[in-house]
Amino acid sequence: MTNAFNTMREHPSAVLLGGQLVAVLAYPFLDGSTTGRAGIGVLQLLLLVVAVAAVRLTPALSWVAILFGAPATVFAVWEAVAPNEGWVVLVSALFHVPFYLFVSYAMIRYLFHDDEVTRDELFATGAAFTVVAWAFAYLFAAVQVIWPGSFDTQRTWFELLYLSFTTLTSLGLSDIVPVQPHSRSVVMVEQVAGVFYVALVVARLVGLARPGGR
């Protein structure tokens, strides 16, 4: 037990990445349960706070966690209870999106803070990528509240998360299509973010991993 705890403490990004993947796999089983949806939302936010605090403790983290993380936790539960209440979804996105983007920024800073590639930084590469996907999923949810019919029909949050992952990875596998100008604009922004992430973050790690890389 002690060895497992020490391993988790030394690799917080791996814990975050693993928690996110578990949430993705568990969501279809819990989607019909209000308690299940709320539990996944709260657990996800707690994983983010713990991981970022461990890898890159900054003075801004405490007030960002209070300003955005605490209300996001409340609305994660509220949204699970009332998933079709437009203003709840909108306010939830208002707190979730900046919180997730701040977390991704903090993790990318962690990746760039030295010239050595550690094992946890490799996990952080995947974790930061998935955090960005989560942020855009909440942004898509807000878009379809403000502009109904943005994605042809009303989509669930998990469907929008699926769209976010397929857009960010540029795979184009999604059967969910943005059909209005505003939703297409946001999707294009995420496509650019995905390309830049691979070009800047992954390429830098590959360069540093080479013998003599800087």
Side-chain angles (χ1 to χ4, degrees):
M1 180 65 71
T2 302
N3 291 336
F5 177 77
N6 290 334
T7 301
M8 293 171 62
R9 186 176 60 182
E10 293 172 0
H11 301 92
S13 300
V15 175
L16 174 57
L17 179 59
Q20 289 172 308
L21 296 178
V22 168
V24 168
L25 295 174
Y27 198 93
F29 296 99
L30 302 175
D31 192 26
S33 167
T34 300
T35 303
R37 292 195 302 268
I40 287 180
V42 173
L43 176 61
Q44 176 69 17
L45 290 168
L46 291 177
L47 282 171
L48 290 172
V49 172
V50 171
V52 174
V55 300
R56 199 65 175 174
L57 187 60
T58 64
L61 177 61
S62 57
W63 70 261
V64 169
I66 294 173
L67 185 62
F68 293 108
T73 304
V74 174
F75 275 92
V77 177
W78 200 337
E79 191 175 358
V81 175
N84 299 318
E85 194 70 40
W87 75 269
V88 174
V89 175
L90 192 59
V91 176
S92 178
L94 185 65
F95 289 109
H96 276 92
V97 172
F99 181 72
Y100 278 87
L101 291 179
F102 171 80
V103 169
S104 62
Y105 163 75
M107 300 199 75
I108 290 173
R109 279 190 60 188
Y110 168 60
L111 292 171
F112 278 76
H113 85 286
D114 58 26
D115 290 334
E116 295 181 3
V117 181
T118 65
R119 183 176 299 176
D120 190 63
E121 287 178 347
L122 294 176
F123 286 118
T125 305
F129 190 81
T130 56
V131 168
V132 174
W134 247 271
F136 274 96
Y138 278 102
L139 187 56
F140 292 156
V143 166
Q144 77 171 358
V145 170
I146 300 173
W147 297 285
S150 289
F151 302 98
D152 189 21
T153 185
Q154 188 72 13
R155 298 294 181 176
T156 66
W157 183 86
F158 192 67
E159 288 177 322
L160 295 176
L161 181 64
Y162 173 67
L163 170 64
S164 182
F165 269 101
T166 57
T167 301
L168 194 62
T169 55
S170 299
L171 292 178
L173 298 176
S174 181
D175 55 347
I176 304 167
V177 181
V179 295
Q180 292 191 11
H182 297 288
S183 56
R184 288 179 175 178
S185 295
V186 178
V187 167
M188 284 189 284
V189 170
E190 186 175 18
Q191 290 170 336
V192 172
V195 172
F196 268 92
Y197 187 88
V198 173
L200 295 177
V201 178
V202 177
R204 181 179 186 274
L205 290 179
V206 171
L208 291 177
R210 288 188 302 106
R214 287 294 182 267

